Amino acid sequence: MTRLAALLVSLLLCIGLLPQAHALPDVDDNTAPQDALTDEPRTDEPDEPAAPAPVPDADVIAAAPDAPILNAQAALLVSPDADMVLYEKNADARRYPASTTKIMTALLTLEHVADLSETVTASAADFELLSPDSSSAGIKEGETISVLDLLYGLMLPSGNEAAYMLARHVGGTYADFVDMMNIRAAELGCTGTHFSNPCGLHADDHYTTARDLYKIAYQAMQDDTFRNIVDTVQHKMPATALQEERKIYTTNQLIFSSYQPWAYAYCKGIKTGNTSQAGNCFVGYAEYGDAKLYSVVLGCDDHSADYPNIPASFTDTRALFQWGFREFTSKTLARQGDTLAYTKVALSTATDQLVLTAKSDLVSLLPKDLPVEALEAVPNIPDSVDAPIQAGERIGSISYSYDGIHYGTVELVALSSVELSRVLYYADKLSHFFQSTVFKIVLAVLAVFVVLYILFGLVFGGIRRRRKRQAMRDRYRNTNYQRRRRR
């Protein structure tokens, strides 16, 4: 009996404790007491929560796996030799360009000033629109500077006064120069760009896109002087009547110091930009072996995840370049002289088939794991070509793509000459004439004339016959008519 009572008491205690166990507050796995699982002592301070894993942006289009996750609001990475976009994120969205605007200012200057030793004297108007914290090349009012030195002052320290001085020198007035900027942008195929000043100071109607900035930068980089300027870390500004010789430095942190961990040895320019409305922007160019890449990042934060003092525009750009050179490799899609297609030949007795070969080598950046044989080759050639044909004459092209991404196009040319057959030529001309609209019109007109002639004959012939019969009747009725007697 005593044992039974003790058993009942134990059972009641267990039932009473169950609600208390379920009433304990919920805890995250990350905040569970460590000494409950290990022999490590507990600490008074809770562990820092793990940083959330970055989520890929749905607006990103990448031509290879493992694309970087960027801080930028808009971005573009292009292989210029293949004319291929490797990476894009909101590339056609309108953004404020900040001082990347100055790429267009430099381009127009180099296109319109033949002698870069020409000088410009800074006027008070060149400084009127600048705020005290505006980026400057350190030029003073009344100072006379050569166009070449102004270009260095424009592109390295991003001098806004240099931009206005060049605009006035090239365009005559600031407004006329801005018109030139917009006209040139349209000529380059920019569809989302409008400039309202030569330096990039914020204005609501001053905007561009990542894709348009690439087009402008690519054109500017065709000029050797521009290429040299944007790849320069420091430049000596000659002494003037108002200042001693001094040095100006680039704002491009990827090339400013090779000893910094964020530097990128293969970067060769081009231009930074920053306003509170635009965020941090950078248009970049890099070379690695024979491969070349252009990048554009817009709307980046003032600091990157790894380097608090370095804008994310630089680390984003470096990440794009590293990914591009790592994940893509140059591959030959077609070699000059390779037989790639055939087409029919007309008007020749020598042959009825023409061999088409690659006009030149086609080298493109492909994902490293994508074999050339996997590409889809889409020919753009006529079904038939008329003789005469000259060897090397362009006949068509072949485009290479994979999974909707275009990797390049090669022109096709005739392998050999094909002579014209005169007999077939004139027979063809005669056949075409009989099938032509002109012949059909002439034939229709002749048919109309024939029908009208027949109708005319039927109508007026009947009238003549009726008149003739009536005349005969009248002759018989005439009393003076002497009837012929029968013999």
Side-chain angles (χ1 to χ4, degrees), residues 29-74:
D29 291 340
N30 291 338
T31 58
Q34 295 298 314
D35 57 348
L37 303 176
T38 70
D39 294 331
E40 295 293 328
R42 293 182 60 182
T43 60
D44 295 335
E45 297 180 0
D47 293 341
E48 291 186 5
V55 179
D57 197 310
D59 296 326
V60 168
I61 301 174
D66 301 324
I69 300 173
L70 303 184
N71 174 265
Q73 296 299 309

Side-chain angles (χ1 to χ4, degrees), residues 332-354:
T332 300
L333 309 190
R335 296 187 183 277
Q336 184 178 9
D338 283 353
T339 298
L340 299 180
Y342 301 87
T343 190
K344 295 179 180 179
V345 175
L347 309 182
S348 175
T349 56
T351 182
D352 61 355
Q353 183 174 261
L354 183 65

Side-chain angles (χ1 to χ4, degrees), residues 200-434:
L201 289 173
H202 177 72
D204 289 341
D205 62 344
H206 188 94
Y207 52 81
T208 187
T209 69
R211 202 180 310 277
D212 285 356
L213 272 178
Y214 160 68
K215 294 174 182 178
I216 297 169
Y218 177 82
Q219 184 62 38
M221 287 291 281
Q222 307 313 301
D223 188 282
D224 291 338
T225 300
F226 183 88
R227 293 173 71 94
N228 292 333
I229 291 173
V230 298
D231 194 27
T232 300
V233 173
Q234 64 178 18
H235 174 72
K236 288 183 178 180
M237 296 288 282
T240 66
L242 299 179
Q243 292 196 73
E244 299 293 331
E245 180 183 87
R246 56 195 173 85
K247 291 181 181 180
I248 55 176
Y249 299 90
T250 183
T251 56
N252 180 359
Q253 293 297 317
L254 294 183
I255 68 172
F256 182 77
S257 174
S258 60
Y259 298 103
Q260 298 295 344
W262 53 78
Y264 189 66
Y266 305 109
C267 182
K268 306 295 182 183
I270 303 174
K271 187 70 189 75
T272 62
N274 175 45
T275 64
S276 58
Q277 297 87 352
N280 281 271
C281 309
F282 185 63
V283 179
Y285 172 76
E287 295 179 356
Y288 182 77
D290 294 331
K292 305 174 180 65
L293 292 176
Y294 283 85
S295 68
V296 181
V297 293
L298 304 175
C300 296
D301 291 340
D302 289 334
H303 59 276
S304 61
D306 296 327
Y307 309 107
N309 296 326
I310 295 298
S313 54
F314 296 116
T315 51
D316 274 6
T317 297
R318 189 180 66 170
L320 282 174
F321 284 151
Q322 289 174 330
W323 173 77
F325 290 130
R326 181 183 67 248
E327 297 296 332
F328 294 83
T329 184
S330 294
K331 297 183 181 182
T332 300
L333 309 190
R335 296 187 183 277
Q336 184 178 9
D338 283 353
T339 298
L340 299 180
Y342 301 87
T343 190
K344 295 179 180 179
V345 175
L347 309 182
S348 175
T349 56
T351 182
D352 61 355
Q353 183 174 261
L354 183 65
V355 178
L356 304 180
T357 64
K359 181 179 180 181
S360 59
D361 291 348
L362 175 60
V363 179
S364 179
L365 279 183
L366 267 66
K368 61 182 180 181
D369 297 329
L370 176 64
V372 174
E373 295 75 18
L375 298 179
E376 180 185 5
V378 180
N380 180 21
I381 56 177
D383 294 332
S384 178
V385 183
D386 293 340
I389 302 166
Q390 297 297 321
E393 180 180 341
R394 186 187 183 282
I395 303 300
S397 64
I398 287 185
S399 296
Y400 295 88
S401 62
Y402 181 80
D403 197 23
I405 298 174
H406 178 256
Y407 288 99
T409 300
V410 64
E411 290 188 349
L412 299 177
V413 296
L415 175 63
S416 56
S417 299
V418 180
E419 294 183 356
L420 171 70
S421 169
R422 292 293 177 182
V423 174
L424 294 178
Y425 173 77
Y426 288 115
D428 180 72
K429 288 293 184 184
L430 189 61
S431 174
H432 278 78
F433 174 73
F434 286 135

Side-chain angles (χ1 to χ4, degrees), residues 433-450:
F433 174 73
F434 286 135
Q435 298 176 13
S436 66
T437 304
V438 173
F439 175 75
K440 292 177 181 178
I441 293 174
V442 171
L443 194 62
V445 171
L446 288 176
V448 170
F449 273 112
V450 169

